[in-house]
């Protein structure tokens, strides 16, 4: 049972949004209401990614929304954030798909790619006709991607790639994989093999190439409406033209992560607002002790007030970072603060909201437990909560504690 979602705007933040921004949010909210809410519990239960929604999402301009040209919608970063907020109100898995397609596949092609790569891939990715994935994490290197062992070796007019990637969103449904690998042959001393990211480069790997295989990871209790896979690259040969020519070191994939982390900071607000709204409505209807609605009890009100305050603060943070990003002034540490805070806030909100629903809260009749399980992944991916703590700690103290 899903209560009608009225949005959340305690601080009248809509007064800070332009008409275009409100229109974009309305469009994304209607898309979620009409197309996602009716099917999402079943998708989650069945472990099914709703691929059938991709063409419509493409038509609505949700992929690569904040990029210009090549069939992209050319939205501002705030508009892009509002889309992510609405998608994650539906389900984190859908927002995940859009984050990867937009921030981790289209953004690197747009930013580091050749004209030919942009022309070949961006329009089809924007339309949702082609699907992309982003391979950075490896079985042995998650928080520390600089240690990656995937290698690319130049052989004539080709590169040969070998390695394994893990936990890759959309991996086994992707047409194209952005693979991060260390380039062999430039430094032969091996001294930087352990951890340096200097030799990291991005490659476009068509997933039908010989030696490439993707294997779906089953058994997740989180993001069940999203595909997660491992990738194996065994002597995969790609033309030299598949190197993303603008990539230069670990900084390049980290720049992509900024795009996705920024979107998550908005998305988490959507999940939190859905949990809060469900708890508020439920508390008004559910009666315990002397026929009183549980909303009349002080401890319930305290929880609702905590949630509403934290969601409002998270909205301010996301909007401010979005405005900074639109002005070209967002540092990656600003984005870390927003991702870290807003995902934590959403997970705490989901747990409190679940509590307010009592036993009903653990069922699929309400969206809270699904959001909560999803948010456990969101807390971990794109830099764990604690890694963002250390990024911010480094910024404050000047000391890297990784
Ligand atoms: P470090 O030496 O600190 O940095 C290397 C160079 O990069 C610069 N830099 C950044 N630049 C842009 N954006 C950022 N966010 C940046 N962070 C660092 C840095 O200034 C340096 O530049 P330069 O010029 O000095 O060379 O690198 P390190 O190896 O010590 O690692 C730093 C650390 C731990 C912060 C980083 O590796 C990290 O962020 N780790 C977390 C890994 C992560 O987030 N993985 C995400 C994988 S993708 C994913 O999860 C997708 S989920 C998608 C979904 O379904 O929604
Ligand atoms: P680890 O790095 O092993 O960390 C384990 C624990 O140790 C964490 O609590 C961490 O905070 C802590 N820790 C690690 N180092 C330190 C330290 N120095 N100090 C203190 N604590 C530390 N990756 C991709 O490349 N592409 C994707 O599309 C993608 N999609 C994903 C989808 C899902 C559903 C999930 C769950 C993950 C996905 N990931 C993806 C991987 C994700 O980015 C990693 O899981 C994440 O970066 C953490 O890496 P790890 O799981 O190896 O944990």
């Amino acid at each position: 049972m899903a209560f009608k979602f009225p949005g959340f705007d305690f601080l009248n933040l809509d007064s800070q949004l332009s008409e275009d921004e409100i229109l974009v949010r309305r469009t994304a909210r209607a898309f979620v209401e009409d197309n996602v809410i009716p099917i999402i519990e079943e998708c989650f239960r069945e472990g099914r990614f709703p691929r059938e929604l991709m063409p419509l999402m493409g038509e609505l301009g949700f992929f690569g929304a904040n990029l210009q040209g090549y069939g992209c919608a050319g939205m501002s970063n705030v508009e892009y954030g509002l889309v992510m907020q609405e998608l994650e109100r539906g389900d984190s898995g859908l927002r995940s798909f859009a984050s990867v397609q937009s921030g981790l596949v289209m953004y690197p092609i747009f930013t580091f790619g050749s004209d030919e790569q942009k022309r070949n891939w961006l329009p089809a990715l924007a339309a949702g006709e082609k699907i992309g994935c982003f391979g950075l994490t490896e079985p042995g290197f998650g928080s520390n991607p600089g240690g990656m062992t995937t290698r690319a070796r130049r052989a004539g007019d080709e590169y040969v790639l070998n390695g394994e990637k893990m936990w890759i969103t959309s991996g086994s449904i992707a047409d194209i994989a952005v693979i991060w690998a260390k380039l062999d042959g430039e430094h032969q001393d091996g001294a930087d093999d352990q951890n340096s990211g200097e030799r990291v480069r991005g490659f476009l790997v068509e997933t039908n190439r010989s030696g490439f295989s993707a294997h779906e990871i089953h058994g997740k209790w989180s993001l069940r409406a999203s595909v997660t896979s491992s990738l194996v690259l065994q002597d995969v040969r790609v033309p030299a033209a598949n190197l993303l020519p603008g990539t230069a070191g670990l900084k390049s994939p980290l720049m992509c992560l900024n795009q996705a982390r920024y979107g998550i900071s908005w998305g988490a607000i959507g999940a939190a607002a859905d949990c809060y709204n469900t708890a508020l409505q439920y508390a008004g209807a559910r009666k315990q002790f002397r026929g009183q609605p549980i909303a009349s009890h002080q401890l319930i009100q305290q929880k609702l007030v905590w949630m509403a305050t934290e969601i409002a603060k998270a909205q301010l943070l996301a909007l401010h970072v979005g405005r900074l990003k639109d002005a070209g002034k967002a540092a990656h540490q600003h984005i870390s603060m927003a991702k870290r805070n807003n995902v934590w806030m959403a997970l705490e909100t989901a747990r409190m909201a679940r509590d307010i629903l009592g036993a009903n809260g653990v069922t699929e009749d309400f969206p809270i437990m699904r959001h909560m399980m999803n948010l456990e992944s969101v807390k971990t991916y794109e830099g764990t909560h604690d890694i963002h703590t250390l990024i911010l700690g480094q910024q404050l103290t000047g000391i890297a504690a990784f």
Side-chain angles (χ1 to χ4, degrees), residues 20-320:
D20 281 352
E21 288 164 348
I22 287 177
L23 181 63
V24 163
R25 186 183 62 192
R26 191 179 304 141
T27 304
R29 190 169 294 172
F31 163 79
V32 168
E33 202 60 48
D34 296 346
N35 300 280
V36 180
I37 301 302
I39 62 166
I40 195 61
E41 291 300 343
E42 184 201 320
C43 287
F44 192 89
R45 188 189 323 124
E46 309 296 330
R48 182 178 82 77
F49 169 64
R51 190 177 184 153
E52 67 276 15
L53 300 180
M54 296 309 106
L56 180 53
M57 290 174 75
E59 210 175 291
L60 292 170
F62 293 167
F63 301 136
N66 57 348
L67 304 178
Q68 308 284 335
Y70 302 98
C72 302
M75 291 184 198
S76 69
N77 284 291
V78 169
E79 289 168 341
Y80 165 68
L82 288 164
V83 171
M84 293 297 171
Q85 175 184 275
E86 296 308 314
L87 292 181
E88 196 146 357
R89 200 275 286 190
D91 191 78
S92 303
L94 205 64
R95 196 273 307 137
S96 258
F97 180 89
S99 286
V100 171
Q101 183 90 345
S102 305
L104 300 183
V105 177
M106 296 176 70
Y107 171 85
I109 296 173
F110 183 84
T111 307
F112 306 121
S114 64
D115 285 345
E116 191 190 350
Q117 289 168 340
K118 292 180 206 183
R119 278 196 310 273
N120 278 350
W121 287 105
L122 291 178
L125 290 162
E129 288 161 8
K130 298 279 185 197
I131 292 177
C133 70
F134 177 89
L136 180 65
T137 304
E138 299 186 355
F141 297 93
S143 296
N144 176 26
M148 70 174 68
T149 59
T150 299
R151 291 291 183 271
R153 173 175 55 83
R154 181 84 189 226
D157 55 3
E158 293 179 321
Y159 286 100
V160 184
L161 284 94
N162 279 285
E164 197 178 335
K165 298 291 177 182
M166 190 68 184
W167 301 112
I168 307 305
T169 300
S170 305
S172 37
I173 55 170
D175 301 287
I176 187 77
V178 174
I179 296 292
W180 299 95
K182 282 186 182 167
L183 198 51
D184 269 345
E186 286 185 347
H187 304 268
Q188 295 298 343
D189 56 14
D192 63 351
D193 267 7
Q194 289 306 312
N195 221 19
S196 161
E198 268 174 43
R199 292 185 291 132
V200 171
R201 300 287 182 277
F203 295 86
L204 294 180
V205 179
E206 295 87 352
T207 56
N208 58 4
R209 287 201 178 267
S210 170
F212 181 96
S213 58
H215 311 270
E216 187 165 354
I217 297 171
H218 294 286
K220 285 179 296 164
W221 288 114
S222 179
L223 290 180
R224 291 182 53 74
S226 163
V227 173
T228 316
S229 316
S230 62
L231 310 179
V232 177
L233 297 108
Q234 213 166 14
D235 288 329
V236 178
R237 291 179 168 269
V238 296
N242 280 29
L243 168 75
L244 286 168
T247 55
L250 186 62
K251 197 182 179 85
S252 304
L254 293 176
M255 285 168 65
C256 305
L257 298 185
N258 295 336
Q259 311 307 309
R261 290 169 177 174
Y262 166 73
I264 289 172
S265 75
W266 280 93
I269 297 169
D274 202 33
C275 293
Y276 165 78
N277 177 55
T278 304
L280 180 66
Q281 308 257 357
Y282 186 90
R286 173 74 176 167
K287 296 195 171 77
Q288 287 295 290
F289 291 97
R290 296 176 299 281
Q292 297 291 318
I294 58 171
S296 69
H297 300 309
Q298 291 176 349
L299 290 175
I300 298 284
Q301 290 188 5
Q302 184 196 35
K303 291 185 176 76
L304 293 169
V305 169
W306 188 93
M307 291 188 250
T309 309
E310 291 301 326
I311 293 170
K313 284 155 65 180
Q315 286 176 323
L316 283 167
L317 184 53
L319 182 59
H320 181 67

